[in-house]
Structures are given as C-alpha cells and as structure tokens.
Amino acid sequence: MGTALVYHEDMTAARLLWDDPECEIECPERLTTALERLQQRGLEQRCLRLAAREASEAELGLVHSPEYVALLQGTQALGTGELQTLSGQYDAVYFHPSTFHCARLAAGAALQLVDAVLAGAVRNGLALVRPPGHHSQRAAANGFCVFNNVAIAAKHAQRQHGLHRILIVDWDVHHGQGIQYIFEDDPSVLYFSWHRYEHGRFWPYLRESDADAVGQGPGLGFTVNLPWNQVGMGNADYVAAFLHVLLPVAFEFNPELVLVSAGFDSAIGDPEGQMQATPECFAHLTQLLQMLAGGRVCAVLEGGYHLESLSQSVCMMVQALLGDPAPPLSGPMVPHASALESIESVRVAQAPHWMSLQQQGQRGLGRDGASGSHAVAVTLNHPLGVAPVLSPSPRSPEGRPSPLLLPGGPEFKAAATQDVAALSSLLDQLRLNPTPPVRTAVALTAPDAALALPSDVLCEEGSAPQEETQAWARPHEALAQDRALTALGKVLYLLDRILDGQVSSGIAVTPASAAAATLDVAIRCGLSHGAQRLLCLAVGQLDRPPDLTDDGRLEGF
Ligand code: X5A
Ligand code: ZN
C-alpha cells in the first residue's frame, strides 16, 4: 500500500493582484517549487498521483455557511478593485477571480486523499494545495485561508466513513484557530496545534491560542494548544513537544485517522515562523505520527513561505510517508528552557483530561515473580558507523497503537499467552525508533509465542556457542539454571547479529530471575564489541547491574 499525492495545476492560478506586503508571500511558486523538487528527487514518481477535484457545495457546507459559500462564488465575476475591497473585510486575505475554483480544489484534494486512505487504496498521502485552510471559519476567510480544507475532510470522514475518533495535528507555525472553533466542543476530533505565540504578541493575537484553551463542554480536553513564547524553536523542541505532549495524548485518544495541517512555516528560514527546525525534523515527526491510526496519515499543506525550506520539508515528509528511513537530526538535541516551560504549561492544563499526563510515579508496576518471564528489548545503534541499509522498510498495515500497555505482571500463568502480549506490545514500541528497523528479530525460548509475530519479524533460531555462553554466565549465580542459560545463548546470538549490522533491533525473553544478570552480560558484550554508549531502559522493576557506577561507567571498562 502506497502514498497518494493529490494535486492540480489549477491551484497555481490564484495570486495577489495588488500591493500587500503581508499577503505577497502566499504565492503560486509555493506549489510549483515543491512539486518540482518532489519530481527531481524521484519522490513524486513513487506516489499514486491523484488529480484534485472540486469540493461540492454540500461538502463545503459541512463547515461553512451557505451565505459565505455564495459570497465566494460571487468573487469569480468581480474586478480587481472589488476584490481588493472585499479582501479588506477579512484579516490577511486576498481574493483573485480564480480563488473560488482554487479553494474548491484545495478542499476537494483533502477529501480525495481521505477517501483514498479510508478506502484502502493507499496507506497515507499528501495533498499539495493552496489556498491553505486552517485559519478559515464558518463564515470568514482569514490568514490566506478560504475554505477549511482539513476541517471539511474531518467532517467528511465522520459522515461518509463513520469514523469516531480523528486526530488533527497542526504543525503550521500559526494557530489554526479556524479548526479550533469548528471542533472546540466536539470530543470526536482531537485538535493539536503548536504555534508561535510570544505571550499573545504574534498574529493572530488570540487569547484562545494559549495552553489553557482546552475545548468546551463535551470537547473539554480535545483541544491541545502548545504556544511557543520565543522564536528559534528547533528540532529538539519539536521532538520534545511530540514525546511529552502530543504522543501521550494521541495514544490515549487512539485515533482512527490522523489529519495533518502540514504547514512548513515552522521550518528554518521561514519569514513568518522564525523557527530553526530543519527539514529532516518533519520526516521524524511524520514517522512518529505513523504509529497512530494504523499509519493512516493524511497531510494537507497549509503555510510555508521560504520556497527552499518548504520544498525540502515537503520532500522529507513524503519520504517518510513512503517508508524511507529519516536522516539523522542535526544539532544538539537540547530543548530551550522556554520550550520546556510551554510544554509543562500544556501538560498542566491538560492533565485533568488525560491519564497519560498524570504523574505516574507511584503507580505500582508489577514486580517480577521469580518464576516469571521478562522481556528484554535490545536496540543498539551500530557502534562502528556501519550504516544500516537504506531501503523502504516494510510495515504491517494493521499496526495497532497500543504501546502504553506494559508487559508482565506479578502472576505468570500460561507462558505463551503472556509472552505473546508482552511481545506485541514491545514490538509496537520498537517502532518508536527514529531510524526504522531494517529488520527486527526475536529470540524466544517459548516457540509458540512466535505465532503472534508480524511476518516481517525474523524469528531467530540460533544460539551462541555453548562454551562462550557459559563463560559469560560464570560470574552470575542467576544464570546457572538451564532455562536462564538457554535464554542467554539466544540473547548473545541476537546481540551478535545486531552488532555486526545484520539485524537492526530485537527482543529476547529471559526468565525474570535472570533478567538483571542477562542485562549485565548484554552490556559487557556490547562494550567488548566496541560500543561506546549504551542506553539501558528498564520497564518495570529491574535491579541495576551491581558493577554499573553512578556516573554511568562500568567497572572494568
Ligand atoms: C496558512 C498561514 C498565515 C497568515 C499570516 C498573516 N497563514 N500574517 O500560514
Ligand atoms: Zn502558517
């Protein structure tokens, strides 16, 4: 299943006919440049190309008033002077005789994309459109936006496809207040927007763009605003916003469809945003979103006014939609203090509405009983700079968003069933890896658990040589037992395959009583292969290997 690219050349027709420094940045070259770059990179050719159609009056009516639609229809026959006068009645808007046609194509493109994805013709896609949509309201054009393309697509997905939960991610640098107004009392549409805010001193200067606007009535908690109070936000800030705000809430919401208000004025170089995020960041953000809704991600272009930055960012997003690995993010991954303040303020404002944002410190994670099983997830980057093979990574279309489930509990009954649950949960979590696994392998001691694995997961049969396994096990009493030793042999084999670059990541299952000792061996084994840095993450209770010092060094290394 592929990626759709919805476009129509007619959308380049609308342009500014008089002098207006605020509006001149919304120009036809935005579309032509982005499309050219997609073609140059061979990305357009890999997509299913769909010619945009016009949205019907009834479809526009899902969001807009009949009077407003009629008013716009009338603009087709107006002269330049009349167009300019009418434009002046709205904030940051210009009309052109072709605006009505373009805007209907823009809304229609979003509808076609949603239809293609929900019909299963493609997994995901991008609609390259103008005019943009997220500022427009029931009866008002605003901020270059005429019809609210994404809002119309969301309503359509509900009415025509029966969807109950839609997530809208608005990463444009401006607040999509139009989308917020349309869905603010609707719990079936979760709207997330980050935006340049500067404590209210940036356009559109709205009090309701702040973090404490969380929706109304039944929609309480289904509007999530993340205001940036300084310019210069970059990759680390955007990734932190996803990891600490959007994704926890989104996983809890469990959407059936993700719509992206994909504005790239939040990227470096843009005159409106003044932010620092590099184009690669949008590949990572796109990858993260693909963990939701079974990968059903429909992106619709909003802003983005630096032609070079816009084109590169669009390419990055399309690459990620196609399943290509994301290039590494450059720069130090340290969020700005102001960003952390903003993130914390949203978390505080939203905590009453989302379990995933409530403090989890005292939540009792089940202790591992001595007879239990403990799954150890191994994700190592290749220490010697062995680049993973860059190829489109296969993904299972029915990938469910369930990584909040924690594996394991105090009672361990049927080994296989528990292993199955723990494994599928861990496999979901592995997709968090920003560079997608070339391949995931599992080392299992209970072979029946393999039945639950997706077909692209390699079930590793091998074990390290017995003498080697025993040598590693010798210092550890906990590894004396046969079951533990067998598991260790499999872990070592899996590690070996990871360290020599054949396997990207893997999961091994060990008896709970041997987990800490196995981890100790895995760390030593990794270091002895030349790894410089290891991240060990314990989900649930796990004793720290005794030789690991507080400053992160391991005795003997
Ligand atoms: C879609 C979009 C921005 C309007 C800015 C007006 N609109 N100053 O990015
Ligand atoms: Zn914008």
Side-chain angles (χ1 to χ4, degrees):
M1 276 224 289
T3 296
L5 185 67
V6 194
Y7 179 73
H8 199 295
E9 193 179 271
D10 284 4
M11 284 184 285
T12 60
R15 60 189 175 84
L16 182 63
L17 295 175
W18 52 86
D19 231 38
D20 181 346
E22 188 177 15
C23 289
E24 69 191 9
I25 56 177
E26 204 294 287
C27 60
E29 290 73 29
R30 298 179 56 233
L31 288 191
T32 50
T33 312
L35 192 72
E36 258 169 43
R37 183 62 63 90
L38 284 170
Q39 288 166 345
Q40 271 173 17
R41 301 254 173 114
L43 293 167
E44 184 243 20
Q45 298 85 333
R46 293 170 59 196
C47 292
L48 176 70
R49 281 290 314 262
L50 297 175
R53 64 163 174 94
E54 286 192 329
S56 69
E57 240 169 87
E59 287 165 338
L60 299 174
L62 290 168
V63 162
H64 299 284
S65 74
E67 298 76 21
Y68 176 66
V69 175
L71 176 90
L72 263 132
Q73 185 159 21
T75 61
Q76 296 176 102
L78 298 183
T80 305
E82 296 164 308
L83 287 168
Q84 188 170 2
T85 306
L86 184 63
S87 302
Q89 305 195 1
Y90 300 103
D91 185 6
V93 168
Y94 69 86
F95 294 121
H96 178 276
S98 74
T99 290
F100 183 62
H101 177 53
C102 292
R104 282 181 69 174
L105 284 174
L111 292 170
Q112 261 182 307
L113 178 55
V114 163
D115 284 338
V117 166
L118 294 180
V122 287
R123 191 202 324 285
N124 56 35
L126 170 68
L128 270 186
V129 305
R130 61 187 285 274
H134 71 154
H135 296 303
S136 91
Q137 298 151 39
R138 179 170 165 78
N142 181 277
F144 316 152
C145 300
V146 177
F147 296 132
N148 202 313
N149 310 317
V150 165
I152 293 168
K155 293 266 191 198
H156 171 85
Q158 296 180 317
R159 301 283 163 90
Q160 299 300 314
H161 297 275
L163 296 201
H164 298 107
R165 290 180 313 281
I166 298 173
L167 169 66
I168 299 178
V169 177
D170 188 342
W171 70 41
D172 186 281
V173 86
H174 301 95
H175 182 213
Q177 85 279 34
I179 300 181
Q180 175 168 315
Y181 298 155
I182 291 157
F183 297 111
E184 62 193 348
D185 57 5
D186 184 348
S188 69
V189 175
L190 171 55
Y191 176 61
F192 169 88
S193 173
W194 66 34
H195 34 268
R196 180 171 171 190
Y197 187 60
E198 298 178 291
H199 302 285
R201 289 186 280 272
F202 187 70
W203 191 91
Y205 314 104
L206 299 170
R207 181 65 192 80
E208 61 267 32
S209 305
D210 211 346
D212 60 352
V214 298
Q216 292 175 5
L220 267 180
F222 296 91
T223 295
V224 180
N225 280 331
L226 171 42
W228 300 123
N229 287 316
Q230 285 179 6
V231 296
M233 296 305 167
N235 298 342
D237 305 296
Y238 287 5
V239 170
F242 265 49
L243 296 185
H244 297 290
V245 177
L246 175 61
L247 293 178
V249 167
F251 276 115
E252 191 174 337
F253 180 64
N254 191 21
E256 299 157 314
L257 174 69
V258 179
L259 299 176
V260 186
S261 264
F264 297 98
D265 42 14
S266 46
I268 188 164
D270 193 278
E272 279 286 314
Q274 306 281 327
M275 297 299 178
Q276 292 286 334
T278 58
E280 296 75 39
C281 192
F282 296 95
H284 289 271
L285 301 183
T286 303
Q287 282 189 354
L288 290 169
L289 293 183
Q290 290 184 80
M291 301 190 306
L292 299 158
R296 288 183 287 273
V297 174
C298 295
V300 182
L301 182 68
E302 299 278 2
Y305 308 102
H306 186 288
L307 297 182
E308 178 61 22
S309 179
L310 167 67
S311 315
Q312 284 192 33
S313 300
V314 164
C315 286
M316 284 297 155
M317 181 176 201
V318 170
Q319 255 181 52
L321 288 174
L322 285 164
D324 290 0
L329 292 176
S330 53
M333 287 301 284
V334 185
H336 291 91
S338 167
L340 294 176
E341 269 172 40
S342 295
I343 286 169
E344 190 50 26
S345 73
V346 193
R347 290 178 56 98
V348 167
Q350 297 288 344
H353 311 292
W354 299 98
M355 266 189 335
S356 53
L357 298 181
Q358 288 152 17
Q359 289 310 326
Q360 293 174 13
Q362 52 303 49
R363 190 150 65 118
L365 301 171
R367 276 181 56 88
D368 299 296
S371 63
S373 262
H374 198 108
V376 177
V378 188
T379 52
L380 286 175
N381 282 324
H382 308 294
L384 303 172
V386 186
V389 184
L390 302 188
S391 68
S393 63
R395 247 172 256 267
S396 76
E398 59 284 320
R400 298 137 289 114
S402 60
L404 291 182
L405 299 174
L406 291 172
E411 263 107 64
F412 185 81
K413 292 181 188 140
T417 39
Q418 269 244 327
D419 281 351
V420 166
L423 270 172
S424 63
S425 167
L426 278 165
L427 282 168
D428 280 343
Q429 292 175 53
L430 279 181
R431 305 203 167 147
L432 267 171
N433 192 334
T435 50
V438 171
R439 207 165 182 191
T440 298
V442 294
L444 299 174
T445 43
D448 34 353
L451 297 172
L453 297 173
S455 57
D456 57 330
V457 169
L458 179 72
C459 201
E460 203 63 90
E461 301 291 346
S463 292
Q466 212 173 357
E467 316 81 71
E468 188 195 331
T469 309
Q470 275 162 353
W472 281 110
R474 201 158 297 130
H476 297 278
E477 225 177 293
L479 294 173
Q481 196 197 0
D482 258 10
R483 236 182 107 214
L485 207 62
T486 310
L488 181 67
K490 296 194 140 239
V491 172
L492 289 171
Y493 186 77
L494 180 57
L495 258 174
D496 223 49
R497 305 260 290 143
I498 291 173
L499 289 164
D500 68 16
Q502 298 174 55
V503 167
S504 176
S505 59
I507 295 175
V509 178
T510 70
S513 58
T518 305
L519 178 61
D520 181 78
V521 172
I523 291 171
R524 289 174 186 282
C525 178
L527 293 176
S528 72
H529 276 73
Q532 302 280 322
R533 293 178 302 280
L534 284 153
L535 174 65
C536 301
L537 224 156
V539 181
Q541 179 139 349
L542 185 68
D543 292 331
R544 191 165 76 170
D547 291 346
L548 204 56
T549 63
D550 282 333
D551 64 359
R553 284 168 204 289
L554 192 69
E555 302 285 353
F557 277 91

